[in-house]
Amino acid sequence: MRPRTEAELSEMIKGAQALRVQGGGTRRIGHAVGEILDTSGLSGVQLYEPGALTLVALAGTSLAEIEALLATERQRLAFEVPDMRGLLGRKGASTIGGVVAANASGPRRVQLGACRDALLGVRFVDGRGDVIKNGGRVMKNVTGYDLVKLLAGSQGTLGVLSEVSFKVQAVPEACVTLTAARDLPQGLADLRAALGSPYDISGAAWMAGRVMIRLEGMAGSVAYRAERLQDLLGFEAGAADWAAIRDVTAFADKPGAVWKLSIKPTEAAGLIDRLGLEAICDWGGGLIWLLDPSGQSDVRAAVGATGQASLVRALPGMERVPVFPPEPAAIAALTAGLRAKFDPRGIFNPGMMV
């Protein structure tokens, strides 16, 4: 099923029994079942106003097309979308609707927020086939933000996106990375110190024994902030592949299960030490990627109540391991209520959230 208009999408949903919703199929995780509903036919940029920093696109529009268009005006999506194709062994083209459904966000989240924070509005079709519009197309229109943010990260379980609206960002004049060799505990402590400083960090990561801090903005401001941080932490200007951190490329060709952890940064070093697994840390230690070669480590038990762990890439034999962390009873009740409201027949991505 590949609708080309919102009206076609609505009719398909009305007659469906179970749908596995996908855009480019590049970042989906979970155990969803059903007939594939391919949204890539809903394609095209509907509105782009560089002066107003706003962009509206149909949900099946490729991310590459959007990024190329923004680049012509030296603008970008601020939240630095990860490319999961290498890590997950996928092909195809990522779509902007899939980005929103996954709330896909990269290293710059520590400064500018996640995908959901850049969303201005959405159009989507619910489980009854009704078209719902929420939010707006311009930055000053903030009506309906709660519902807009609810759809971001819902993994296609509440509705099928047909159109999304974003605020975009000008590409900064200058970008500098500071780096130093540090063991994990000291490295994460330095990252926390940098993020707690007044120097406006846009990236804070640790990988393979090195810490990396990114500064962006006007050239004079970046130079001043870099000098102050060098004095504070003893770092030096250097190179860093932020795309590799964003896309977790170090784990792409290594066998093993891959876990994504959201945790208190102060707990990160101790948890990684207890598990003894190879790790990449982003967001100052708030995001941890773990590689488990055997797939036997009890990662979720080790995380406990200090954070959440999602199984992004599984090994054969891990089919019974839940992909997403179990929700507390109160949150599970809210989730069930939302599903009953937006998808009363339970047709969208059944099995996705287990």
Side-chain angles (χ1 to χ4, degrees):
M1 301 173 70
R2 189 171 183 265
R4 294 188 176 276
T5 67
E6 191 176 68
E8 287 184 5
L9 174 62
S10 174
E11 290 303 312
M12 289 178 182
I13 288 173
K14 287 177 181 177
Q17 299 298 315
L19 294 172
R20 182 153 58 99
V21 184
Q22 71 174 38
T26 63
R27 63 182 73 250
R28 186 187 64 250
I29 59 176
H31 304 300
V33 297
E35 185 176 4
I36 292 177
L37 176 60
D38 180 350
T39 64
S40 62
L42 299 167
S43 181
V45 174
Q46 304 299 97
L47 173 72
Y48 177 38
E49 296 184 347
L53 297 174
T54 56
L55 178 139
V56 182
L58 297 180
T61 309
S62 75
L63 176 63
E65 178 183 343
I66 289 172
E67 290 181 331
L69 176 62
L70 293 175
T72 64
E73 299 289 339
R74 285 191 52 79
Q75 294 181 349
R76 66 186 182 186
L77 295 171
F79 48 92
E80 202 169 2
V81 184
D83 183 346
M84 295 286 97
R85 288 176 294 185
L87 185 68
L88 299 178
R90 306 274 174 80
K91 297 182 180 179
S94 176
T95 64
I96 195 64
V99 169
V100 172
N103 192 35
S105 312
R108 204 173 284 114
R109 181 173 183 169
V110 295
Q111 181 192 48
L112 298 172
C115 171
R116 63 166 54 94
D117 298 301
L119 269 178
L120 296 172
V122 295
R123 290 178 65 95
F124 66 99
V125 181
D126 70 7
R128 298 179 182 85
D130 295 334
V131 177
I132 299 173
K133 176 181 181 295
N134 197 248
R137 289 186 168 198
V138 294
M139 292 174 66
K140 62 184 177 183
N141 184 342
V142 296
T143 58
Y145 253 43
D146 287 346
L147 191 53
V148 169
K149 292 186 177 182
L150 181 67
L151 266 290
S154 64
Q155 302 287 343
T157 61
L158 299 178
V160 182
L161 290 162
S162 56
E163 182 184 275
V164 293
S165 309
F166 285 100
K167 57 183 177 183
V168 300
Q169 181 196 46
V171 174
E173 181 179 87
C175 176
V176 168
T177 292
L178 303 179
T179 184
R182 294 286 191 274
D183 63 22
L184 181 62
Q186 185 59 54
L188 293 184
D190 284 348
L191 292 179
R192 294 195 300 272
L195 288 168
S197 75
Y199 301 125
D200 201 17
I201 309 303
S202 71
W206 180 93
M207 181 173 66
R210 296 197 71 82
V211 285
M212 290 148 283
I213 293 173
R214 184 174 57 191
L215 301 165
E216 296 177 299
M218 299 296 289
S221 170
V222 168
Y224 171 80
R225 288 180 281 141
E227 184 178 353
R228 296 286 78 76
L229 280 169
Q230 286 174 305
D231 293 340
L232 177 66
L233 299 172
F235 289 7
E236 296 181 353
D241 188 349
W242 288 97
I245 296 165
R246 179 195 71 195
D247 303 338
V248 203
T249 56
F251 293 170
D253 296 324
K254 293 184 178 180
V258 176
W259 291 84
K260 180 182 180 181
L261 278 55
S262 177
I263 194 169
K264 288 175 59 177
T266 52
E267 303 285 342
L271 174 65
I272 295 168
D273 181 64
R274 291 194 300 275
L275 285 166
L277 299 175
E278 185 177 352
I280 298 171
C281 297
D282 203 352
W283 306 347
L287 171 65
I288 304 172
W289 295 93
L290 292 176
L291 179 68
D292 180 7
S294 69
Q296 300 299 309
S297 299
D298 200 346
V299 172
R300 195 160 277 145
V303 172
T306 63
Q308 295 182 330
S310 298
L311 181 58
V312 174
R313 189 179 76 191
L315 291 176
M318 298 181 73
E319 291 80 10
R320 293 183 178 274
V321 179
V323 171
F324 296 97
E327 295 177 327
I331 301 299
L334 289 173
T335 300
L338 288 168
R339 290 291 299 270
K341 179 68 175 178
F342 289 100
D343 182 20
R345 295 182 292 148
I347 65 171
F348 292 142
N349 286 340
M352 168 65 78
M353 303 308 286
V354 297

